[in-house]
Each structure stands twice: as structure tokens, then as C-alpha cells.
Amino acid sequence: MQRMVFADKNVMTLLILAAIAIFSLPLVLPHITHESMIYHIYLHLTAFMVSIFLVIVSALAYYRGRSRRLLFMMLALSMLTLAEFVNFITLTGNVPTLLLPIINVELAHMLILAMLVLFVTGVIKMG
């Protein structure tokens, strides 16, 4: 039998991370000569890629286990991924800092708070 490419988690994860790295090049390359900024951009790009890997792993775990704890962990990691994406595109200068207008707080900070709440919800025994 022929094996599908996406049947292997490692291949699927590597393909997704490679696609992100390739598609992020146009955003990163204009900043390559800014020594202090490029490392900050790479830091958030790396955190974004690692968080995507964790979302994939947690989604597969949830698919197998179907527990509420795994669901909340997967949702928390998804919030982290979204926060890192917001930080990355903000740092590259393509989007201005996203503020929540009424409370004047950055969107990324609110996403990280949501991530922490979801983690706590997943850690606390859910009945």
C-alpha cells in the first residue's frame, strides 16, 4: 500500500514549518540588516513556529483522547500561536500595534492572558 505524506506526523509538521519559514521570508528580509531588530523578529518567528508545532501535537492528542483537559490545552496553545503571530507581524512593521480601544491594551497581551486562563482551566480538575 502507498503511504500518504500526511500520515506521518513528523513529515506533516516539517512541511507546515517549512511553509511558514518560506512565506515569512518577504516579511523578514527587509529587516535583515537591522542587527538589533532581526533577532527580535527571529525570536517571535521561532516562538510562532514552536507554538504551531505544539498546537499540532495537542490537536492530535485531543483527537485521540477527547478529554476536556486536552481540549483546553489545545485552545491555550492556539492562543499562544495567535499571540506570537500578532507579535511577529507587528514587529515586521506590516501592521501597526493592535490595541483594544476601550481598555488600551495590546491584543497580544490579551491573547496571552486568554492562554493562561485556558491553561488553568485545563489543569484544574474538570469534574
Side-chain angles (χ1 to χ4, degrees):
M1 278 207 271
Q2 205 175 32
R3 193 171 123 180
M4 293 182 59
V5 173
F6 293 113
D8 186 0
K9 294 179 290 193
N10 297 327
V11 172
M12 179 183 69
T13 302
L14 285 174
L15 286 174
I16 291 169
L17 295 178
I20 292 167
I22 289 168
F23 286 118
S24 68
L25 281 176
L27 301 173
V28 173
L29 287 178
H31 305 283
I32 201 79
T33 58
H34 304 137
E35 288 183 20
S36 61
M37 194 59 157
I38 193 65
Y39 297 121
H40 196 182
I41 291 170
Y42 279 144
L43 174 85
H44 285 287
L45 179 60
T46 303
F48 176 59
M49 293 172 74
V50 169
S51 65
I52 285 178
F53 170 75
L54 292 172
V55 167
I56 292 169
V57 170
S58 65
L60 292 171
Y62 174 69
Y63 180 73
R64 279 190 227 120
R66 303 274 183 187
S67 75
R68 281 199 270 176
R69 284 184 180 202
L70 291 174
L71 174 65
F72 282 112
M73 294 297 168
M74 181 187 69
L75 292 173
L77 290 167
S78 298
M79 289 294 116
L80 175 63
T81 301
L82 193 54
E84 285 303 330
F85 177 73
V86 168
N87 281 329
F88 173 69
I89 62 168
T90 302
L91 275 171
T92 57
N94 294 304
V95 173
T97 302
L98 301 171
L99 295 174
L100 298 175
I102 296 173
I103 55 177
N104 200 29
V105 174
E106 289 183 34
L107 175 62
H109 290 135
M110 291 303 293
L111 291 169
I112 291 173
L113 177 62
M115 174 201 70
L116 291 172
V117 168
L118 288 166
F119 267 131
V120 167
T121 305
V123 169
I124 294 174
K125 188 170 171 109
M126 298 295 302

